[in-house]
Amino acid sequence: MSSALERLKNLTNKISSYELARKKNLERLRELFEQVGIDEKVKNVEDLFDFKAINLSGISLQEENLGAIKEGKYLQILAIAYDKNAAVKSKNISLAYFGRVESVDEALRERIVEFVLRYRFEKSFMTLEHYHGMLERF
């Protein structure tokens, strides 16, 4: 009995820690939304989640070399829009263009990487909730 109670307690702690992390993530995402200039193309943060994904060109998002610049490339935040009724189902939309990656201030580059990661973190929660809701049908 105490083992089951202990597992439930651990699970509750983990869930509340995820929810706290998610709340803090959204707060910081809202700040970065303006700091990196996405607000010039997208009216509000919630509209970002209409996109299928957000990618980055010019900087690595791979864990082993996160934030490493790709010499000679242009720094750009790209959103992938998806329309199942269109002839071409998905298209890339530039949300922000910063020029040659080498010439972009390092602090701004870090905020851009953080923005994309924080977007993906929240998007993963939304995906989890979506599939959880679908599974409730069974």
Short mmCIF file of all heavy atoms in Angstrom, two decimals, residues 71-136:
data_model
loop_
_atom_site.label_atom_id
_atom_site.label_comp_id
_atom_site.label_asym_id
_atom_site.label_seq_id
_atom_site.Cartn_x
_atom_site.Cartn_y
_atom_site.Cartn_z
N GLU A 71 28.75 28.79 -40.88
CA GLU A 71 29.44 29.85 -41.62
C GLU A 71 28.89 30.00 -43.04
O GLU A 71 28.63 29.01 -43.72
CB GLU A 71 30.94 29.55 -41.70
CG GLU A 71 31.64 29.52 -40.36
CD GLU A 71 31.89 30.90 -39.76
OE1 GLU A 71 32.01 31.89 -40.52
OE2 GLU A 71 31.98 30.98 -38.53
N GLY A 72 28.71 31.25 -43.45
CA GLY A 72 28.26 31.53 -44.81
C GLY A 72 26.76 31.43 -45.01
O GLY A 72 26.25 31.71 -46.09
N LYS A 73 26.03 31.03 -43.97
CA LYS A 73 24.57 30.88 -44.08
C LYS A 73 23.87 32.13 -43.56
O LYS A 73 24.46 32.99 -42.93
CB LYS A 73 24.10 29.66 -43.27
CG LYS A 73 24.70 28.36 -43.70
CD LYS A 73 24.14 27.92 -45.02
CE LYS A 73 24.67 26.55 -45.40
NZ LYS A 73 24.14 26.05 -46.62
N TYR A 74 22.59 32.20 -43.86
CA TYR A 74 21.76 33.31 -43.40
C TYR A 74 20.88 32.84 -42.25
O TYR A 74 20.34 31.74 -42.28
CB TYR A 74 20.90 33.84 -44.55
CG TYR A 74 21.75 34.43 -45.64
CD1 TYR A 74 22.18 33.65 -46.71
CD2 TYR A 74 22.15 35.75 -45.58
CE1 TYR A 74 22.98 34.18 -47.71
CE2 TYR A 74 22.97 36.30 -46.57
CZ TYR A 74 23.37 35.50 -47.63
OH TYR A 74 24.18 36.03 -48.60
N LEU A 75 20.76 33.69 -41.24
CA LEU A 75 19.96 33.36 -40.06
C LEU A 75 18.52 33.76 -40.32
O LEU A 75 18.22 34.91 -40.65
CB LEU A 75 20.51 34.08 -38.83
CG LEU A 75 19.79 33.84 -37.51
CD1 LEU A 75 19.67 32.35 -37.19
CD2 LEU A 75 20.52 34.56 -36.39
N GLN A 76 17.65 32.76 -40.14
CA GLN A 76 16.24 33.00 -40.42
C GLN A 76 15.39 32.05 -39.56
O GLN A 76 15.76 30.90 -39.36
CB GLN A 76 15.99 32.71 -41.91
CG GLN A 76 14.67 33.14 -42.41
CD GLN A 76 14.60 33.09 -43.94
OE1 GLN A 76 13.72 33.69 -44.49
NE2 GLN A 76 15.50 32.42 -44.62
N ILE A 77 14.28 32.56 -39.06
CA ILE A 77 13.31 31.72 -38.37
C ILE A 77 12.21 31.41 -39.37
O ILE A 77 11.60 32.33 -39.94
CB ILE A 77 12.72 32.42 -37.12
CG1 ILE A 77 13.83 32.76 -36.12
CG2 ILE A 77 11.65 31.55 -36.47
CD1 ILE A 77 13.38 33.59 -34.94
N LEU A 78 11.98 30.11 -39.57
CA LEU A 78 11.00 29.66 -40.57
C LEU A 78 9.88 28.89 -39.90
O LEU A 78 10.12 28.03 -39.05
CB LEU A 78 11.68 28.75 -41.60
CG LEU A 78 12.80 29.37 -42.40
CD1 LEU A 78 13.62 28.30 -43.09
CD2 LEU A 78 12.23 30.35 -43.41
N ALA A 79 8.65 29.19 -40.32
CA ALA A 79 7.49 28.44 -39.84
C ALA A 79 7.01 27.55 -40.98
O ALA A 79 7.12 27.92 -42.15
CB ALA A 79 6.39 29.39 -39.42
N ILE A 80 6.50 26.40 -40.62
CA ILE A 80 5.94 25.51 -41.62
C ILE A 80 4.43 25.51 -41.46
O ILE A 80 3.90 25.11 -40.41
CB ILE A 80 6.50 24.07 -41.47
CG1 ILE A 80 8.01 24.11 -41.63
CG2 ILE A 80 5.84 23.13 -42.48
CD1 ILE A 80 8.70 22.82 -41.31
N ALA A 81 3.77 26.02 -42.50
CA ALA A 81 2.31 26.06 -42.51
C ALA A 81 1.82 24.83 -43.27
O ALA A 81 2.45 24.39 -44.24
CB ALA A 81 1.81 27.34 -43.18
N TYR A 82 0.71 24.28 -42.85
CA TYR A 82 0.17 23.08 -43.47
C TYR A 82 -1.30 23.32 -43.82
O TYR A 82 -2.08 23.77 -42.99
CB TYR A 82 0.29 21.89 -42.52
CG TYR A 82 -0.17 20.59 -43.12
CD1 TYR A 82 0.65 19.87 -43.99
CD2 TYR A 82 -1.43 20.07 -42.84
CE1 TYR A 82 0.24 18.68 -44.55
CE2 TYR A 82 -1.85 18.88 -43.39
CZ TYR A 82 -1.02 18.19 -44.24
OH TYR A 82 -1.43 17.01 -44.81
N ASP A 83 -1.64 23.01 -45.08
CA ASP A 83 -3.02 23.13 -45.54
C ASP A 83 -3.37 21.85 -46.28
O ASP A 83 -2.92 21.63 -47.41
CB ASP A 83 -3.17 24.35 -46.45
CG ASP A 83 -4.59 24.56 -46.94
OD1 ASP A 83 -5.46 23.72 -46.65
OD2 ASP A 83 -4.83 25.57 -47.62
N LYS A 84 -4.17 21.01 -45.65
CA LYS A 84 -4.47 19.71 -46.24
C LYS A 84 -5.30 19.81 -47.51
O LYS A 84 -5.34 18.88 -48.30
CB LYS A 84 -5.16 18.79 -45.23
CG LYS A 84 -6.52 19.27 -44.78
CD LYS A 84 -7.10 18.32 -43.76
CE LYS A 84 -8.44 18.86 -43.26
NZ LYS A 84 -9.00 18.04 -42.22
N ASN A 85 -5.93 20.96 -47.74
CA ASN A 85 -6.76 21.13 -48.94
C ASN A 85 -6.00 21.75 -50.12
O ASN A 85 -6.53 21.80 -51.22
CB ASN A 85 -7.98 21.99 -48.62
CG ASN A 85 -8.86 21.34 -47.56
OD1 ASN A 85 -9.06 20.12 -47.58
ND2 ASN A 85 -9.34 22.13 -46.63
N ALA A 86 -4.80 22.21 -49.89
CA ALA A 86 -4.02 22.87 -50.95
C ALA A 86 -3.30 21.84 -51.81
O ALA A 86 -3.06 20.71 -51.37
CB ALA A 86 -3.02 23.82 -50.33
N ALA A 87 -2.96 22.24 -53.03
CA ALA A 87 -2.20 21.35 -53.93
C ALA A 87 -0.84 21.04 -53.32
O ALA A 87 -0.39 19.90 -53.31
CB ALA A 87 -2.05 22.00 -55.30
N VAL A 88 -0.17 22.09 -52.82
CA VAL A 88 1.09 21.90 -52.10
C VAL A 88 0.71 21.99 -50.61
O VAL A 88 0.33 23.05 -50.14
CB VAL A 88 2.12 22.99 -52.48
CG1 VAL A 88 3.38 22.85 -51.66
CG2 VAL A 88 2.41 22.94 -53.97
N LYS A 89 0.83 20.88 -49.93
CA LYS A 89 0.31 20.77 -48.55
C LYS A 89 1.03 21.66 -47.54
O LYS A 89 0.41 22.23 -46.66
CB LYS A 89 0.38 19.32 -48.07
CG LYS A 89 -0.36 18.35 -48.95
CD LYS A 89 -1.82 18.44 -48.74
CE LYS A 89 -2.55 17.39 -49.56
NZ LYS A 89 -3.70 17.87 -50.21
N SER A 90 2.35 21.77 -47.64
CA SER A 90 3.07 22.58 -46.67
C SER A 90 3.95 23.60 -47.38
O SER A 90 4.41 23.38 -48.50
CB SER A 90 3.92 21.70 -45.74
OG SER A 90 4.91 21.04 -46.46
N LYS A 91 4.16 24.71 -46.66
CA LYS A 91 5.04 25.75 -47.20
C LYS A 91 5.78 26.43 -46.06
O LYS A 91 5.29 26.50 -44.93
CB LYS A 91 4.25 26.77 -48.03
CG LYS A 91 3.26 27.58 -47.24
CD LYS A 91 2.55 28.59 -48.14
CE LYS A 91 1.54 29.39 -47.34
NZ LYS A 91 0.88 30.40 -48.13
N ASN A 92 6.98 26.89 -46.39
CA ASN A 92 7.79 27.61 -45.42
C ASN A 92 7.44 29.09 -45.46
O ASN A 92 7.31 29.67 -46.53
CB ASN A 92 9.28 27.44 -45.73
CG ASN A 92 9.78 26.05 -45.44
OD1 ASN A 92 9.13 25.27 -44.74
ND2 ASN A 92 10.91 25.70 -45.99
N ILE A 93 7.35 29.68 -44.28
CA ILE A 93 7.07 31.11 -44.15
C ILE A 93 8.17 31.71 -43.29
O ILE A 93 8.43 31.23 -42.19
CB ILE A 93 5.70 31.34 -43.49
CG1 ILE A 93 4.58 30.73 -44.34
CG2 ILE A 93 5.45 32.83 -43.24
CD1 ILE A 93 3.25 30.65 -43.64
N SER A 94 8.79 32.76 -43.78
CA SER A 94 9.83 33.42 -43.00
C SER A 94 9.18 34.29 -41.93
O SER A 94 8.42 35.20 -42.23
CB SER A 94 10.71 34.28 -43.90
OG SER A 94 11.66 34.96 -43.12
N LEU A 95 9.49 34.00 -40.68
CA LEU A 95 8.97 34.81 -39.57
C LEU A 95 9.93 35.93 -39.21
O LEU A 95 9.52 36.95 -38.68
CB LEU A 95 8.71 33.94 -38.34
CG LEU A 95 7.64 32.86 -38.47
CD1 LEU A 95 7.47 32.14 -37.15
CD2 LEU A 95 6.32 33.46 -38.92
N ALA A 96 11.22 35.71 -39.47
CA ALA A 96 12.22 36.72 -39.17
C ALA A 96 13.50 36.40 -39.94
O ALA A 96 13.94 35.26 -39.97
CB ALA A 96 12.51 36.78 -37.67
N TYR A 97 14.08 37.43 -40.53
CA TYR A 97 15.32 37.29 -41.28
C TYR A 97 16.34 38.23 -40.65
O TYR A 97 16.06 39.40 -40.40
CB TYR A 97 15.08 37.66 -42.75
CG TYR A 97 16.33 37.67 -43.57
CD1 TYR A 97 16.88 36.47 -44.03
CD2 TYR A 97 16.98 38.86 -43.89
CE1 TYR A 97 18.05 36.47 -44.78
CE2 TYR A 97 18.14 38.87 -44.64
CZ TYR A 97 18.67 37.68 -45.08
OH TYR A 97 19.82 37.67 -45.82
N PHE A 98 17.54 37.72 -40.39
CA PHE A 98 18.54 38.50 -39.67
C PHE A 98 19.83 38.74 -40.46
O PHE A 98 20.73 39.39 -39.96
CB PHE A 98 18.90 37.79 -38.36
CG PHE A 98 17.71 37.57 -37.47
CD1 PHE A 98 17.00 36.37 -37.51
CD2 PHE A 98 17.26 38.56 -36.61
CE1 PHE A 98 15.90 36.17 -36.70
CE2 PHE A 98 16.16 38.36 -35.79
CZ PHE A 98 15.47 37.16 -35.85
N GLY A 99 19.93 38.22 -41.68
CA GLY A 99 21.15 38.39 -42.49
C GLY A 99 22.16 37.29 -42.21
O GLY A 99 21.84 36.25 -41.66
N ARG A 100 23.41 37.56 -42.62
CA ARG A 100 24.47 36.57 -42.43
C ARG A 100 24.62 36.25 -40.95
O ARG A 100 24.73 37.15 -40.11
CB ARG A 100 25.80 37.09 -42.98
CG ARG A 100 25.83 37.38 -44.46
CD ARG A 100 26.05 36.17 -45.28
NE ARG A 100 27.33 35.54 -45.05
CZ ARG A 100 28.12 35.13 -46.00
NH1 ARG A 100 27.80 35.32 -47.26
NH2 ARG A 100 29.25 34.52 -45.71
N VAL A 101 24.66 34.97 -40.66
CA VAL A 101 24.69 34.52 -39.27
C VAL A 101 25.91 35.05 -38.52
O VAL A 101 25.83 35.37 -37.33
CB VAL A 101 24.57 32.98 -39.18
CG1 VAL A 101 25.81 32.29 -39.71
CG2 VAL A 101 24.26 32.53 -37.77
N GLU A 102 27.06 35.18 -39.21
CA GLU A 102 28.27 35.67 -38.55
C GLU A 102 28.13 37.11 -38.07
O GLU A 102 28.81 37.53 -37.13
CB GLU A 102 29.48 35.61 -39.50
CG GLU A 102 29.79 34.27 -40.07
CD GLU A 102 29.09 34.01 -41.41
OE1 GLU A 102 28.14 34.73 -41.77
OE2 GLU A 102 29.50 33.07 -42.09
N SER A 103 27.27 37.88 -38.73
CA SER A 103 27.15 39.30 -38.38
C SER A 103 26.06 39.58 -37.33
O SER A 103 25.92 40.72 -36.89
CB SER A 103 26.87 40.12 -39.64
OG SER A 103 25.62 39.77 -40.18
N VAL A 104 25.34 38.56 -36.91
CA VAL A 104 24.28 38.75 -35.91
C VAL A 104 24.90 38.68 -34.52
O VAL A 104 25.70 37.79 -34.22
CB VAL A 104 23.18 37.67 -36.06
CG1 VAL A 104 22.11 37.82 -34.99
CG2 VAL A 104 22.56 37.74 -37.46
N ASP A 105 24.53 39.63 -33.68
CA ASP A 105 25.02 39.70 -32.30
C ASP A 105 24.81 38.36 -31.59
O ASP A 105 23.75 37.74 -31.70
CB ASP A 105 24.26 40.82 -31.57
CG ASP A 105 24.62 40.92 -30.12
OD1 ASP A 105 25.76 41.32 -29.82
OD2 ASP A 105 23.76 40.58 -29.28
N GLU A 106 25.81 37.92 -30.85
CA GLU A 106 25.76 36.62 -30.18
C GLU A 106 24.59 36.51 -29.20
O GLU A 106 23.93 35.47 -29.11
CB GLU A 106 27.07 36.35 -29.45
CG GLU A 106 27.14 34.97 -28.84
CD GLU A 106 28.47 34.67 -28.17
OE1 GLU A 106 29.44 35.41 -28.36
OE2 GLU A 106 28.51 33.67 -27.44
N ALA A 107 24.31 37.58 -28.47
CA ALA A 107 23.19 37.56 -27.51
C ALA A 107 21.86 37.37 -28.24
O ALA A 107 20.99 36.63 -27.77
CB ALA A 107 23.17 38.85 -26.69
N LEU A 108 21.71 38.01 -29.41
CA LEU A 108 20.49 37.84 -30.19
C LEU A 108 20.40 36.41 -30.72
O LEU A 108 19.34 35.79 -30.69
CB LEU A 108 20.44 38.84 -31.35
CG LEU A 108 19.23 38.73 -32.29
CD1 LEU A 108 17.91 38.84 -31.54
CD2 LEU A 108 19.32 39.78 -33.40
N ARG A 109 21.51 35.86 -31.17
CA ARG A 109 21.52 34.47 -31.65
C ARG A 109 21.06 33.52 -30.55
O ARG A 109 20.27 32.61 -30.79
CB ARG A 109 22.91 34.06 -32.15
CG ARG A 109 23.30 34.72 -33.45
CD ARG A 109 24.51 34.08 -34.10
NE ARG A 109 25.63 33.79 -33.22
CZ ARG A 109 26.79 34.43 -33.24
NH1 ARG A 109 27.01 35.39 -34.11
NH2 ARG A 109 27.76 34.08 -32.41
N GLU A 110 21.53 33.75 -29.33
CA GLU A 110 21.13 32.91 -28.20
C GLU A 110 19.64 33.03 -27.92
O GLU A 110 18.97 32.02 -27.65
CB GLU A 110 21.94 33.27 -26.95
CG GLU A 110 23.37 32.80 -27.02
CD GLU A 110 24.19 33.21 -25.81
OE1 GLU A 110 23.62 33.73 -24.82
OE2 GLU A 110 25.41 32.99 -25.84
N ARG A 111 19.09 34.24 -28.00
CA ARG A 111 17.65 34.44 -27.79
C ARG A 111 16.84 33.75 -28.89
O ARG A 111 15.77 33.19 -28.62
CB ARG A 111 17.31 35.92 -27.70
CG ARG A 111 17.74 36.57 -26.40
CD ARG A 111 17.12 37.95 -26.19
NE ARG A 111 17.41 38.89 -27.26
CZ ARG A 111 18.47 39.68 -27.32
NH1 ARG A 111 19.38 39.65 -26.37
NH2 ARG A 111 18.63 40.52 -28.32
N ILE A 112 17.35 33.77 -30.10
CA ILE A 112 16.66 33.12 -31.22
C ILE A 112 16.61 31.61 -31.01
O ILE A 112 15.55 30.98 -31.16
CB ILE A 112 17.35 33.48 -32.56
CG1 ILE A 112 17.12 34.95 -32.88
CG2 ILE A 112 16.85 32.58 -33.69
CD1 ILE A 112 18.01 35.50 -33.98
N VAL A 113 17.72 31.00 -30.63
CA VAL A 113 17.76 29.56 -30.36
C VAL A 113 16.82 29.24 -29.20
O VAL A 113 16.03 28.28 -29.26
CB VAL A 113 19.20 29.09 -30.05
CG1 VAL A 113 19.20 27.66 -29.52
CG2 VAL A 113 20.07 29.21 -31.29
N GLU A 114 16.87 30.04 -28.15
CA GLU A 114 15.99 29.82 -26.99
C GLU A 114 14.53 29.92 -27.41
O GLU A 114 13.70 29.11 -26.98
CB GLU A 114 16.31 30.85 -25.90
CG GLU A 114 15.45 30.67 -24.66
CD GLU A 114 15.68 31.73 -23.59
OE1 GLU A 114 16.52 32.64 -23.78
OE2 GLU A 114 15.00 31.64 -22.55
N PHE A 115 14.20 30.89 -28.26
CA PHE A 115 12.82 31.05 -28.73
C PHE A 115 12.33 29.79 -29.43
O PHE A 115 11.24 29.27 -29.13
CB PHE A 115 12.71 32.25 -29.68
CG PHE A 115 11.39 32.33 -30.37
CD1 PHE A 115 10.29 32.85 -29.73
CD2 PHE A 115 11.24 31.86 -31.67
CE1 PHE A 115 9.04 32.90 -30.36
CE2 PHE A 115 10.01 31.91 -32.31
CZ PHE A 115 8.91 32.43 -31.66
N VAL A 116 13.13 29.27 -30.35
CA VAL A 116 12.72 28.08 -31.11
C VAL A 116 12.57 26.88 -30.18
O VAL A 116 11.59 26.14 -30.26
CB VAL A 116 13.70 27.78 -32.26
CG1 VAL A 116 13.35 26.47 -32.95
CG2 VAL A 116 13.71 28.92 -33.27
N LEU A 117 13.48 26.69 -29.25
CA LEU A 117 13.39 25.57 -28.31
C LEU A 117 12.17 25.70 -27.41
O LEU A 117 11.48 24.72 -27.13
CB LEU A 117 14.67 25.45 -27.49
CG LEU A 117 15.92 25.03 -28.25
CD1 LEU A 117 17.12 25.00 -27.32
CD2 LEU A 117 15.73 23.69 -28.94
N ARG A 118 11.92 26.91 -26.93
CA ARG A 118 10.75 27.11 -26.06
C ARG A 118 9.45 26.90 -26.83
O ARG A 118 8.48 26.35 -26.29
CB ARG A 118 10.80 28.48 -25.40
CG ARG A 118 11.87 28.55 -24.33
CD ARG A 118 11.81 29.84 -23.54
NE ARG A 118 12.86 29.86 -22.54
CZ ARG A 118 12.80 29.23 -21.37
NH1 ARG A 118 11.74 28.52 -21.06
NH2 ARG A 118 13.80 29.31 -20.51
N TYR A 119 9.40 27.33 -28.09
CA TYR A 119 8.23 27.05 -28.93
C TYR A 119 8.02 25.54 -29.03
O TYR A 119 6.92 25.03 -28.84
CB TYR A 119 8.41 27.65 -30.32
CG TYR A 119 7.43 27.08 -31.32
CD1 TYR A 119 6.14 27.59 -31.43
CD2 TYR A 119 7.78 25.98 -32.12
CE1 TYR A 119 5.24 27.05 -32.33
CE2 TYR A 119 6.88 25.42 -33.01
CZ TYR A 119 5.61 25.96 -33.11
OH TYR A 119 4.71 25.40 -33.97
N ARG A 120 9.08 24.82 -29.33
CA ARG A 120 8.98 23.37 -29.50
C ARG A 120 8.58 22.67 -28.21
O ARG A 120 7.84 21.68 -28.22
CB ARG A 120 10.30 22.80 -30.02
CG ARG A 120 10.55 23.20 -31.47
CD ARG A 120 11.85 22.65 -31.96
NE ARG A 120 12.04 22.93 -33.38
CZ ARG A 120 13.04 22.44 -34.09
NH1 ARG A 120 13.93 21.64 -33.52
NH2 ARG A 120 13.15 22.74 -35.36
N PHE A 121 9.05 23.18 -27.08
CA PHE A 121 8.68 22.62 -25.78
C PHE A 121 7.17 22.72 -25.58
O PHE A 121 6.51 21.74 -25.24
CB PHE A 121 9.45 23.37 -24.68
CG PHE A 121 9.27 22.82 -23.30
CD1 PHE A 121 9.79 21.59 -22.94
CD2 PHE A 121 8.62 23.57 -22.34
CE1 PHE A 121 9.65 21.10 -21.65
CE2 PHE A 121 8.47 23.09 -21.04
CZ PHE A 121 8.99 21.85 -20.69
N GLU A 122 6.61 23.89 -25.80
CA GLU A 122 5.17 24.08 -25.64
C GLU A 122 4.39 23.28 -26.69
O GLU A 122 3.37 22.68 -26.38
CB GLU A 122 4.79 25.56 -25.72
CG GLU A 122 3.29 25.83 -25.63
CD GLU A 122 2.61 25.30 -24.37
OE1 GLU A 122 3.28 25.12 -23.33
OE2 GLU A 122 1.38 25.08 -24.41
N LYS A 123 4.86 23.27 -27.92
CA LYS A 123 4.19 22.53 -28.98
C LYS A 123 4.12 21.04 -28.62
O LYS A 123 3.12 20.38 -28.89
CB LYS A 123 4.92 22.74 -30.31
CG LYS A 123 4.25 22.15 -31.51
CD LYS A 123 3.08 22.99 -31.96
CE LYS A 123 2.59 22.50 -33.31
NZ LYS A 123 1.44 23.24 -33.78
N SER A 124 5.16 20.52 -27.97
CA SER A 124 5.14 19.11 -27.58
C SER A 124 4.06 18.84 -26.53
O SER A 124 3.42 17.80 -26.56
CB SER A 124 6.52 18.66 -27.09
OG SER A 124 6.85 19.29 -25.88
N PHE A 125 3.85 19.78 -25.61
CA PHE A 125 2.77 19.63 -24.64
C PHE A 125 1.42 19.62 -25.34
O PHE A 125 0.54 18.83 -25.01
CB PHE A 125 2.79 20.76 -23.60
CG PHE A 125 3.70 20.50 -22.44
CD1 PHE A 125 4.89 21.19 -22.32
CD2 PHE A 125 3.37 19.57 -21.47
CE1 PHE A 125 5.74 20.96 -21.25
CE2 PHE A 125 4.21 19.33 -20.39
CZ PHE A 125 5.40 20.03 -20.28
N MET A 126 1.26 20.51 -26.32
CA MET A 126 -0.01 20.57 -27.05
C MET A 126 -0.27 19.27 -27.81
O MET A 126 -1.39 18.79 -27.87
CB MET A 126 -0.01 21.76 -28.00
CG MET A 126 -0.03 23.07 -27.31
SD MET A 126 0.08 24.40 -28.51
CE MET A 126 -0.60 25.74 -27.56
N THR A 127 0.77 18.71 -28.38
CA THR A 127 0.65 17.44 -29.10
C THR A 127 0.27 16.32 -28.13
O THR A 127 -0.61 15.51 -28.42
CB THR A 127 1.97 17.11 -29.82
OG1 THR A 127 2.26 18.16 -30.73
CG2 THR A 127 1.88 15.79 -30.58
N LEU A 128 0.90 16.31 -26.98
CA LEU A 128 0.59 15.33 -25.95
C LEU A 128 -0.89 15.42 -25.55
O LEU A 128 -1.59 14.41 -25.48
CB LEU A 128 1.49 15.54 -24.74
CG LEU A 128 1.30 14.61 -23.56
CD1 LEU A 128 1.78 13.21 -23.92
CD2 LEU A 128 2.07 15.14 -22.36
N GLU A 129 -1.37 16.63 -25.32
CA GLU A 129 -2.78 16.82 -24.94
C GLU A 129 -3.72 16.37 -26.06
O GLU A 129 -4.76 15.78 -25.80
CB GLU A 129 -3.03 18.30 -24.61
CG GLU A 129 -2.40 18.74 -23.31
CD GLU A 129 -2.50 20.24 -23.07
OE1 GLU A 129 -2.69 21.01 -24.04
OE2 GLU A 129 -2.36 20.64 -21.91
N HIS A 130 -3.34 16.65 -27.29
CA HIS A 130 -4.15 16.26 -28.45
C HIS A 130 -4.32 14.74 -28.49
O HIS A 130 -5.45 14.23 -28.60
CB HIS A 130 -3.50 16.77 -29.73
CG HIS A 130 -4.08 16.21 -30.98
ND1 HIS A 130 -5.29 16.61 -31.47
CD2 HIS A 130 -3.62 15.26 -31.81
CE1 HIS A 130 -5.57 15.94 -32.57
NE2 HIS A 130 -4.56 15.10 -32.82
N TYR A 131 -3.21 14.02 -28.41
CA TYR A 131 -3.29 12.57 -28.48
C TYR A 131 -3.93 11.95 -27.24
O TYR A 131 -4.62 10.94 -27.33
CB TYR A 131 -1.91 11.96 -28.76
CG TYR A 131 -1.54 12.16 -30.21
CD1 TYR A 131 -0.54 13.06 -30.57
CD2 TYR A 131 -2.20 11.47 -31.22
CE1 TYR A 131 -0.22 13.25 -31.90
CE2 TYR A 131 -1.89 11.66 -32.55
CZ TYR A 131 -0.89 12.56 -32.88
OH TYR A 131 -0.60 12.75 -34.20
N HIS A 132 -3.75 12.58 -26.10
CA HIS A 132 -4.40 12.10 -24.89
C HIS A 132 -5.92 12.19 -25.07
O HIS A 132 -6.65 11.25 -24.73
CB HIS A 132 -3.94 12.92 -23.68
CG HIS A 132 -4.56 12.47 -22.39
ND1 HIS A 132 -5.67 13.04 -21.87
CD2 HIS A 132 -4.20 11.46 -21.55
CE1 HIS A 132 -5.99 12.44 -20.74
NE2 HIS A 132 -5.11 11.47 -20.52
N GLY A 133 -6.38 13.29 -25.62
CA GLY A 133 -7.81 13.45 -25.88
C GLY A 133 -8.33 12.43 -26.89
O GLY A 133 -9.44 11.90 -26.75
N MET A 134 -7.55 12.15 -27.90
CA MET A 134 -7.95 11.16 -28.91
C MET A 134 -8.06 9.77 -28.29
O MET A 134 -8.98 9.01 -28.60
CB MET A 134 -6.99 11.15 -30.08
CG MET A 134 -7.11 12.38 -30.97
SD MET A 134 -5.92 12.39 -32.32
CE MET A 134 -6.50 11.02 -33.31
N LEU A 135 -7.13 9.43 -27.41
CA LEU A 135 -7.14 8.11 -26.79
C LEU A 135 -8.31 7.92 -25.83
O LEU A 135 -8.72 6.79 -25.59
CB LEU A 135 -5.81 7.86 -26.07
CG LEU A 135 -4.62 7.58 -26.97
CD1 LEU A 135 -3.34 7.57 -26.16
CD2 LEU A 135 -4.81 6.26 -27.71
N GLU A 136 -8.84 9.01 -25.31
CA GLU A 136 -9.99 8.91 -24.41
C GLU A 136 -11.21 8.33 -25.11
O GLU A 136 -12.13 7.86 -24.47
CB GLU A 136 -10.30 10.27 -23.80
CG GLU A 136 -9.29 10.69 -22.75
CD GLU A 136 -9.58 12.05 -22.15
OE1 GLU A 136 -10.44 12.79 -22.69
OE2 GLU A 136 -8.95 12.38 -21.14
#
